[in-house]
């Protein structure tokens, strides 16, 4: 025997004694339960486990199990056991009581568990999501119905009104993607299935008419006035030709459009005249009878207009009669009676603030500047930013008449009558001259003008 053999035998004997004690305790418990169980009635038992308090070694084992389940990929510890030597029960108890301290005297090998990697879902390409966002399920349903009716994408582009203004190329790409792209077709189909039945019925009612449908409608005569019963009979006789959403009223409306554009079988479009005799707008306007265009006379309206015209004329006459009295009253209040002229003043242009004296046969009116002085600066009377630099010229002729010529851009009003640019007008005594909101009264020195007229008369016969 070797030196280590007695130790192994002692350890084995201790482990056997501990096992025998545990077995004796268990047998005692069984006999006790059997003895007391005979006198106690049996109770109903369930297969569920009874919750009881755990011992210390069980608590340690459960905590280790929970920590291993929470941590992803924990290292699995496997002891290497050599042949001929096994750990004793006392060593096992020490390991279990040590808890989290995993320092074992045996040599360990750590095998890392395989780490499960998260596989990210491949995102859809951006052009697909963008295309799906622009093309709505209503547009897809319209496109499908129109293609099934006409089998022509060009007519679909011209006849169908989508939610967006798509080009012919976009419509073709969408149709091909609905046919051959599984991702887009699946998403579009799911979106169309979520539409409300009323929305689907409204979209189907807008389906284009096929050539077979228009051929049947064109057979109805243009001279007849068909009612809804005629089209109801067409629907009942040809249910396979017409779309399921067609109604007699919709057929009647489309038949009226065909009649309007001369597309019925018994209608023929007149050809345009050949040669140079093409009817243009002016020729057609001359052919129109003017008598037919004249509206019928409304006697009641004409009578009311005549009465209102009479009232307006009567008011104008009354104002003209009262004007001299108001003029005298204004002159007496403002002191605008005939001014005292000297021997050198031919006329005067009186404003609200300033009085301009005319002492030469020709003067210029306007807005004075540093570079261009002027005879009568109207800016002294008030705001003259709308007045031209050379607005007008007042000239005295040899016969004693005063004339004003407009040289500016804005019109000059003489007694309420406009004098446009390049025109002239005669000025009388007390004439009201209005230039860009500034009003003046033109006053003539009648004594001096009468002398000038007399001298002119004397010089004429000579």
């Amino acid at each position: 025997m070797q030196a280590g053999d007695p130790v192994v035998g002692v350890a084995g004997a201790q482990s056997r004694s501990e096992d025998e004690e545990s077995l004796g305790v268990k047998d005692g418990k069984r006999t006790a339960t059997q003895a007391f169980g005979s006198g106690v009635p049996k109770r109903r038992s369930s297969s569920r486990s009874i919750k009881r308090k755990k011992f210390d070694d069980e608590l340690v084992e459960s905590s280790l199990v929970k920590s291993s389940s929470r941590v992803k990929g924990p290292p699995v510890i496997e002891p290497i056991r050599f042949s001929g030597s096994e750990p004793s029960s006392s060593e096992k108890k020490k390991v279990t009581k040590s808890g989290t301290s995993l320092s074992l005297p045996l040599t360990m090998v750590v095998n890392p568990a395989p780490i499960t990697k998260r596989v990210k879902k491949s995102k859809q390409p951006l052009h697909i999501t963008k295309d799906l966002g622009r093309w709505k399920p209503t547009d897809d349903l319209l496109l499908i119905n129109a293609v099934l009716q006409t089998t022509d994408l060009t007519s679909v582009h011209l006849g169908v009104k989508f939610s967006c203004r798509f080009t012919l190329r976009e419509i073709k790409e969408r149709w091909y993607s609905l046919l051959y792209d599984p991702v887009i077709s699946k998403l579009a189909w799911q979106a169309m299935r979520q539409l409300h039945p009323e929305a689907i019925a409204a979209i189907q009612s807008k389906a284009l008419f096929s050539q077979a449908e228009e051929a049947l409608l064109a057979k109805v005569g243009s001279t007849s006035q068909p009612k809804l019963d005629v089209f109801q009979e067409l629907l009942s006789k040809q249910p396979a030709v017409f779309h399921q959403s067609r109604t007699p009223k919709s057929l009647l409306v489309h038949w009226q459009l065909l009649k309007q554009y001369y597309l019925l079988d018994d209608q023929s479009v007149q050809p345009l005249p050949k040669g140079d005799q093409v009817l243009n707008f002016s020729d057609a306007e001359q052919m129109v009878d003017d008598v037919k265009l004249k509206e019928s006379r409304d006697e009641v309206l004409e009578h009311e207009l005549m009465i209102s015209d009479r009232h307006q004329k009567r008011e104008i006459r009354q104002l003209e009669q009262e004007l001299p009295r108001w003029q005298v009253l204004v002159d007496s209040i403002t002191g605008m009676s005939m001014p005292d002229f000297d021997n050198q003043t031919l006329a005067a242009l009186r404003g609200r603030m300033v009085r301009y004296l005319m002492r030469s046969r020709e003067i210029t009116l306007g807005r004075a500047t540093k570079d261009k002085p002027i005879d009568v600066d109207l800016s002294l009377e008030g705001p003259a930013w709308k007045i031209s630099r050379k607005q007008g010229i007042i000239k005295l002729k040899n016969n004693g008449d005063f004339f004003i010529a407009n040289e500016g851009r804005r019109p000059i009003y003489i007694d309420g009558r406009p004098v446009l640019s390049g025109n002239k007008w005669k000025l009388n005594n007390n004439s009201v001259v209005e230039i860009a909101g500034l009003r003046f009264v033109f006053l003539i020195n009648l004594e001096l003008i009468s002398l000038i007229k007399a001298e002119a008369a004397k010089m004429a016969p000579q």
Side-chain angles (χ1 to χ4, degrees), residues 330-349:
V330 170
D331 291 344
S332 62
I333 294 173
T334 59
M336 292 193 59
S337 58
M338 290 297 295
D340 297 332
F341 290 107
D342 54 6
N343 296 330
Q344 298 178 354
T345 304
L346 299 174
L349 193 66

Side-chain angles (χ1 to χ4, degrees), residues 289-297:
D289 191 1
D290 295 337
V291 179
K292 295 181 180 179
L293 296 177
K294 289 183 179 179
E295 298 180 357
S296 59
R297 295 179 59 185

